[in-house]
Amino acid sequence: MAITDIKAFAHLTEADIEMLGQELDAIRRSVELSRGERDAKYIRRTIAAQRGLEVAGRAILFGSRNRWAWLTGTALLSVAKIVENMELGHNISHGQWDWMNDPEIHSTNWEWDQTGPSSQWRRAHNYSHHTYTNVLGKDEDLGFGILRMTRDEPWRRVHLVQPVANLILAATFEWGIALHDWDAEKELSGHPKKWNSEPNKEFARKAARQVAKDFVFYPALTGPAWKSTLKANATANLARNLWAYAVIFCGHFPDGAEKFTVEQLDGETSGEWYLRQMLGSANFKAGPAMAFMSGNLCYQIEHHLFPDLPSNRYAEVAVKVRELCDKYDLPYTTGSLGKQYLLAFRTIHKLALPDKFLKRTADDAPETSSERKFAGITLPSLPTAAQMQETWHDTHIIPVDPATGQRYGLRSAMQEARVVLKAKAKHEKEVLREARRALKEKARQEKQMLREAGVALQERARHEQETLRHKPFWAKATRRFG
Amino acid sequence: MVFKNVREWLEAPAASVAERGGRLNVLRGAVARVTTPLLPDDYLHLANPLWSARELRGRVVEVRKETADSATLVIKPGWGFDFKYQPGQYIGIGILVEGRWHWRSYSLTCPPNWSEPGHGGKRVISIAVKAMPEGFLSSHLVNGVKPGAVIRLQAPQGRFVMSFPPPDKVLFLTAGSGITPVMAMLRGMDRRERVTDVVHLHSARTAEDVMFGNELRALHDRHPSFSTHLHLTGENGKFKLTDLDERFPDWRDRETWACGPAAMLDEIEKHWREAGLSDKLHVERFEAERSAIGEGGTVTFAKSDRSVEVDGATSLLEAGESAGVQMPFGCRMGICQTCVLTLSSGHARDLRNGDEKREGDKVQTCISAAAGDCTLEI
């Protein structure tokens, strides 16, 4: 079971969560107030650079029969597509630049270079995913309907092909997204029966245009180089797909990015919402260049806290968010791109298996844990759940280390739980081994006893025969007739 | 028939880009097929912002001081501007200040098809702006805009116009910057050499505050049938309409155009109504005064033709839903941008931080409330 009670899980009181919310609001406000010329320049330059890259890439591909021209053109086009999707399409559609009041750089009418229409993606992503981040059954981005990414989802036989499904999803990521959003759109509009319904038409129009552009018009335009241009365009799309896939998976599926149940949504306060975003996302470490190429989604935690703040400010926001995590003793899930992806990769492959092959439960699995992880164990420096109920919620006092002033929260709890759970597991194993040894010993003893009894019986029988043989004839006869 | 369909198909992507049909649109449409989802415009305006055909643009070519706190901005419009507007109309302009576009409307002060020798005989337009003490943008326009700045434009509009030929007898009643649309009418009459019997009463605080003073005098010298009467409120207080009979005994015979502060216009409208002359009166109210910024008000949903009275704490989304309007919505907490609508008039306030939104701005209805009467485009 995923997290149902975020307060208990985070080891924070209601008042703490509210304070945390206010501090996050203050970060948001400070960015809002300081948005200005510098940020506007950033997005305008990014747009100009992206257009430049794309034009240059397409132009060079006219000579794509030459090997070097093909490589250069393809590389430029790939970068152009990545920047367009990540830093422009994704972020502008989030309304990150709406504050500029520029009708051309606005969430309501930005169309991106991907198969699915922006409008459908906006509803599925900005609304469903960002409101209900990692809530089972509400956030359709959890596994994109194809992959089982938490043991809360019951295993089905189809999950056996998960390793292959994962590869296909990665290579055709834009189609995965497009179909996913199209589905969401149809659901939102009440599944119109007609084939030429608005969602269908919108989808078909956009997909046809995209396919025609990269696979018909541009190749045709380059004349004799059409074959190599076609290959180049396909390669650029593939590169973009793989990269977008990797960034998204690293932001949501490494260990530490928690899942939640709908119970958590019940009466959720804005502070709890913030907390859910913080605990439900994961970052990866990136320098400025990689941050730019990921659309600053290496700062996925910050993005989920403030999806509509300009992406170029996430780096500075991250410093403040980390400070808050230290202050409230909350985990801040991050790692190298490789590590974060490997964790997600491990989950994908592990959860392809039926539950009977899995050791952990959904409460204490690496890819998802719940407040029940802490039930029944005593953490050395943390109060028990019962104590929490009694003292914390009444007095709103969080345990603080008198020496260092450091609070005890989820991060300490996680660390201690790791040790305690390990010790507990070790202890249980020991007890088990002991019991097994005792059983074995008992069995050995019983066997021994049995053997001895057998020997004794044999001995007795032999003895009886012996005495019988040595008896006088008349004694034998008496016995027979007597 | 087939050809027409092909052409329509080609033109389709550019249909919203440029209203003008023709070969250029076919070409734009054809190019759009390969640049999708971008349009040729997205590339063109990177080279030259004035080439945009998606929306009107202009370049400021001159900033001329009129008084200590007012200036005339001469603007060269970019591709697609229609110079055949009517004197008295206003124009929407968008100015970039610190990364943010601000939209305001200003009356054009120039006659249609106007070219000044100073600008190479090219056709230009002009507006006059008075810096308001609390008006952040008007101050910027008067003191901050440098020639060369690129601005966005919205086509001229407004019904405060003078038809041609002008009426035989005209009365202009203006105050402060209310003189600007009247200036366009006067310059238009002057250019066509058709200055009929025109009297003009202008109120200003002091003589130094009078915009276009020299030009008005020169106009009178050239056309004796035109005269301007100055009323200095700093010395004499507000002009009393009851004095009209004495100053212009024939005011009832004159077609009247009035522009100035809302209170003055209210009085004038009342006076004319009582005299049974409402159809001879034309009034222009400036945008800033068109709606008061307050708490709550009447929210009108333009396309659905509904309206509802709300307080300052009710979100516009809730207001719409209570009035039975099919409002778009998503997260209801201001993060998903699904509920964004255009505020076509009035003001709204962001409930999270108190930021004010005004006419032309796009608002997230789930976290915005009415700040005075306002209208949403839905």
Side-chain angles (χ1 to χ4, degrees):
Chain A
M1 198 165 74
I3 297 161
T4 52
D5 183 350
I6 206 159
K7 284 193 295 288
F9 182 74
H11 290 78
L12 295 177
T13 65
E14 240 161 73
D16 282 316
I17 294 179
E18 201 187 318
M19 278 250 293
L20 173 71
Q22 280 170 13
E23 298 203 49
L24 287 165
D25 276 339
I27 294 177
R28 176 191 180 86
R29 194 67 191 137
S30 82
V31 175
E32 277 178 344
L33 286 174
S34 60
R35 282 182 303 209
E37 187 54 43
R38 193 169 57 98
D39 308 283
K41 239 182 216 153
Y42 170 80
I43 195 68
R44 283 201 301 267
R45 281 184 182 161
T46 305
I47 290 172
Q50 190 276 331
R51 309 287 193 250
L53 280 171
E54 173 151 4
V55 169
R58 301 265 188 210
I60 290 172
L61 286 177
F62 273 85
S64 57
R65 279 194 294 182
N66 172 296
R67 189 180 147 75
W68 285 106
W70 188 90
L71 277 172
T72 318
T74 308
L76 288 178
L77 193 57
S78 305
V79 175
K81 277 179 176 280
I82 285 171
V83 172
E84 201 282 338
N85 272 194
M86 312 301 287
E87 190 66 15
L88 299 182
H90 174 266
N91 293 341
I92 292 171
S93 292
H94 260 297
Q96 294 185 359
W97 306 94
D98 284 6
W99 59 273
M100 297 200 312
N101 246 339
D102 189 327
E104 291 183 327
I105 311 175
H106 200 279
S107 63
T108 45
N109 48 21
W110 188 272
E111 191 61 57
W112 67 352
D113 187 19
Q114 261 208 19
T115 338
S118 282
S119 55
Q120 297 189 351
W121 175 76
R122 270 201 303 272
R123 273 184 289 270
H125 179 86
N126 288 13
Y127 169 50
S128 303
H129 171 58
H130 273 272
T131 315
Y132 302 116
T133 311
N134 284 9
V135 174
L136 300 165
K138 277 282 207 178
D139 179 3
E140 305 280 342
D141 283 19
L142 213 62
F144 295 93
I146 304 168
L147 305 177
R148 176 186 183 228
M149 297 307 288
T150 153
R151 349 193 148 195
D152 288 289
E153 195 187 327
W155 182 83
R156 284 176 292 139
R157 222 174 303 164
V158 67
H159 291 132
L160 279 173
V161 298
Q162 195 148 293
V164 183
N166 175 48
L167 285 179
I168 296 172
L169 177 67
T172 62
F173 200 54
E174 63 170 324
W175 283 98
I177 301 269
L179 295 172
H180 173 71
D181 301 340
W182 182 28
D183 250 12
E185 184 74 20
K186 283 193 286 192
E187 198 168 312
L188 264 172
S189 53
H191 292 287
K193 290 279 180 307
K194 275 199 263 173
W195 65 273
N196 62 350
S197 65
E198 213 34 61
N200 287 1
K201 271 200 311 209
E202 210 183 355
F203 177 82
R205 212 178 293 139
K206 178 72 195 286
R209 269 193 176 197
Q210 284 295 118
V211 172
K213 172 179 75 164
D214 278 341
F215 300 105
V216 180
F217 290 138
Y218 269 112
L221 217 58
T222 53
W226 70 272
K227 233 185 211 165
S228 50
T229 306
L230 189 80
K231 271 186 216 154
N233 290 356
T235 309
N237 277 336
L238 177 71
R240 183 266 320 273
N241 287 348
L242 291 175
W243 177 243
Y245 156 88
V247 169
I248 301 301
F249 272 60
C250 285
H252 291 299
F253 304 121
D255 299 358
E258 307 295 356
K259 317 291 180 289
F260 309 86
T261 64
V262 278
E263 281 90 347
Q264 164 57 32
L265 290 177
D266 231 13
E268 185 175 64
T269 65
S270 74
E272 289 172 342
W273 183 85
Y274 270 137
L275 200 53
R276 177 155 58 82
Q277 305 304 325
M278 267 171 127
L279 300 179
S281 322
N283 284 7
F284 60 83
K285 289 181 188 145
M290 191 140 84
F292 177 76
M293 291 304 281
S294 73
N296 281 296
L297 289 181
C298 56
Y299 301 109
Q300 189 73 245
I301 297 175
E302 287 71 20
H303 172 59
H304 263 269
L305 287 170
F306 312 114
D308 55 349
L309 288 186
S311 59
N312 62 323
R313 306 295 285 275
Y314 283 154
E316 64 182 73
V317 170
V319 176
K320 295 186 191 166
V321 170
R322 260 199 120 130
E323 279 168 12
L324 277 186
C325 283
D326 285 341
K327 184 172 164 188
Y328 288 89
D329 197 24
L330 291 168
Y332 185 87
T333 312
T334 188
S336 69
L337 178 74
K339 180 194 145 198
Q340 297 297 76
Y341 183 68
L342 279 178
L343 289 173
F345 187 79
R346 186 177 70 172
T347 300
I348 293 167
H349 288 74
K350 221 194 248 178
L351 296 195
L353 296 170
D355 290 334
K356 64 178 170 194
F357 292 102
L358 301 176
K359 228 169 31 190
R360 306 281 194 89
T361 68
D363 290 325
D364 64 349
E367 80 281 353
T368 159
S369 47
S370 82
E371 66 277 12
R372 297 210 296 194
K373 170 179 188 161
F374 305 105
I377 57 171
T378 315
L379 303 175
S381 51
L382 280 161
T384 61
Q387 280 171 319
M388 253 169 64
Q389 280 296 331
E390 277 170 30
T391 49
W392 290 22
H393 289 273
D394 291 346
T395 57
H396 297 296
I397 295 167
I398 204 166
V400 172
D401 187 325
T404 59
Q406 173 67 46
R407 289 169 199 246
Y408 293 118
L410 179 57
R411 192 165 55 185
S412 304
M414 288 280 216
Q415 277 160 5
E416 288 176 9
R418 206 168 295 140
V419 177
V420 171
L421 284 173
K422 216 179 212 170
K424 196 178 158 199
K426 199 174 156 199
H427 174 72
E428 278 169 4
K429 225 176 183 174
E430 192 58 45
V431 168
L432 217 71
R433 200 179 302 138
E434 203 61 46
R436 202 175 296 144
R437 201 181 303 138
L439 273 174
K440 232 181 197 165
E441 179 59 32
K442 202 176 155 199
R444 199 185 57 77
Q445 279 175 6
E446 280 172 359
K447 221 172 174 179
Q448 182 66 31
M449 269 160 66
L450 262 171
R451 199 180 308 131
E452 278 168 12
V455 170
L457 273 174
Q458 252 172 14
E459 183 60 25
R460 201 173 135 196
R462 198 186 54 77
H463 181 72
E464 275 182 7
Q465 259 176 11
E466 198 66 24
T467 36
L468 214 62
R469 199 185 308 143
H470 292 106
K471 263 195 178 161
F473 168 73
W474 55 265
K476 282 179 196 169
T478 318
R479 207 163 170 199
R480 196 172 297 157
F481 305 107
Chain B
M1 190 61 200
V2 173
F3 174 72
K4 199 180 154 220
N5 283 344
V6 170
R7 187 178 168 142
E8 258 174 28
W9 181 76
L10 278 172
E11 267 189 279
S16 60
V17 178
E19 279 170 35
R20 299 174 162 191
R23 250 176 250 161
L24 195 59
N25 252 11
V26 176
L27 182 68
R28 276 175 180 272
V31 176
R33 296 286 166 192
V34 283
T35 58
T36 185
L38 297 179
L39 295 171
D41 245 41
D42 292 301
Y43 294 98
L44 278 177
H45 76 229
L46 285 178
N48 181 348
L50 297 192
W51 286 348
S52 171
R54 183 181 297 172
E55 54 174 4
L56 296 171
R57 309 244 175 145
R59 192 189 295 279
V60 175
V61 291
E62 189 187 345
V63 182
R64 193 163 59 211
K65 265 269 183 312
E66 293 291 347
T67 66
D69 62 353
S70 68
T72 284
L73 263 63
V74 182
I75 298 157
K76 188 191 167 311
W79 197 84
F81 187 80
D82 188 356
F83 287 91
K84 292 197 283 292
Y85 52 89
Q86 287 175 286
Q89 287 194 304
Y90 61 88
I91 193 167
I93 69 167
I95 300 259
L96 187 65
V97 189
E98 285 164 13
R100 204 174 300 224
W101 289 91
H102 298 263
W103 289 92
R104 295 289 188 280
S105 297
Y106 289 101
S107 292
L108 287 158
T109 53
C110 58
N113 287 314
W114 179 54
S115 55
E116 246 194 6
H119 307 295
K122 292 227 174 81
R123 282 186 296 182
V124 287
I125 54 171
S126 71
I127 55 169
V129 181
K130 192 172 176 335
M132 302 291 173
E134 74 290 355
F136 143 80
L137 194 72
S138 60
S139 309
H140 176 81
L141 283 172
V142 172
N143 301 310
V145 172
K146 300 275 174 295
V150 170
I151 61 175
R152 299 181 125 106
L153 298 173
Q154 264 166 1
Q157 53 182 311
R159 281 179 298 186
F160 188 70
V161 295
M162 178 183 270
S163 56
F164 194 82
D168 291 337
K169 295 182 104 180
V170 176
L171 168 63
F172 289 135
L173 291 175
T174 60
S177 55
I179 196 172
T180 50
V182 165
M183 210 53 218
M185 297 180 189
L186 284 168
R187 284 171 174 169
M189 290 164 98
D190 177 40
R191 241 163 66 104
R192 299 202 187 196
E193 292 289 337
R194 283 294 295 268
V195 183
T196 50
D197 178 358
V198 180
V199 287
H200 176 202
L201 180 79
H202 181 64
S203 296
R205 210 170 53 80
T206 65
E208 286 78 49
D209 289 330
V210 178
M211 294 165 83
F212 311 111
N214 292 333
E215 193 174 344
L216 290 169
R217 262 189 296 280
L219 209 61
H220 169 69
D221 292 343
R222 276 206 302 281
H223 309 281
S225 62
F226 165 74
S227 62
T228 293
H229 304 260
L230 209 57
H231 180 86
L232 297 181
T233 55
E235 293 164 23
N236 309 317
K238 244 174 23 181
F239 178 78
K240 286 189 278 300
L241 290 172
T242 42
D243 292 347
L244 270 176
D245 288 316
E246 193 188 318
R247 291 288 280 276
F248 312 108
D250 60 348
W251 66 270
R252 288 182 176 79
D253 305 333
R254 294 179 179 273
E255 192 88 18
T256 303
W257 279 265
C259 184
M264 166 187 140
L265 296 176
D266 290 344
E267 268 178 49
I268 289 174
E269 274 180 336
K270 190 165 164 255
H271 198 73
W272 258 251
R273 197 164 51 238
E274 280 164 5
L277 295 166
S278 288
D279 54 338
K280 284 203 136 175
L281 176 69
H282 310 269
V283 165
E284 173 82 315
R285 287 167 192 274
F286 283 143
E287 186 199 315
E289 286 146 2
R290 252 179 237 151
S291 68
I293 301 178
E295 286 291 315
T298 306
V299 186
T300 308
F301 302 90
K303 286 184 197 151
S304 341
D305 198 21
R306 281 172 202 233
S307 60
V308 62
E309 194 85 33
V310 286
D311 58 20
T314 308
S315 74
L316 294 172
L317 175 59
E318 287 162 350
E321 288 174 339
S322 74
V325 180
Q326 276 280 328
M327 302 283 284
F329 72 91
C331 65
R332 292 179 172 265
M333 57 195 294
I335 55 158
C336 78
Q337 319 289 327
T338 308
C339 64
V340 174
L341 291 175
T342 305
L343 197 63
S344 47
S345 79
H347 294 86
R349 182 172 287 124
D350 189 322
L351 288 168
R352 297 174 303 182
N353 50 33
D355 283 353
E356 239 159 53
K357 304 279 180 179
R358 62 199 327 280
E359 184 174 329
D361 285 349
K362 291 189 162 69
V363 293
Q364 291 169 266
T365 58
C366 71
I367 43 99
S368 301
D373 294 349
C374 61
T375 306
L376 285 171
E377 242 174 44
I378 180 166

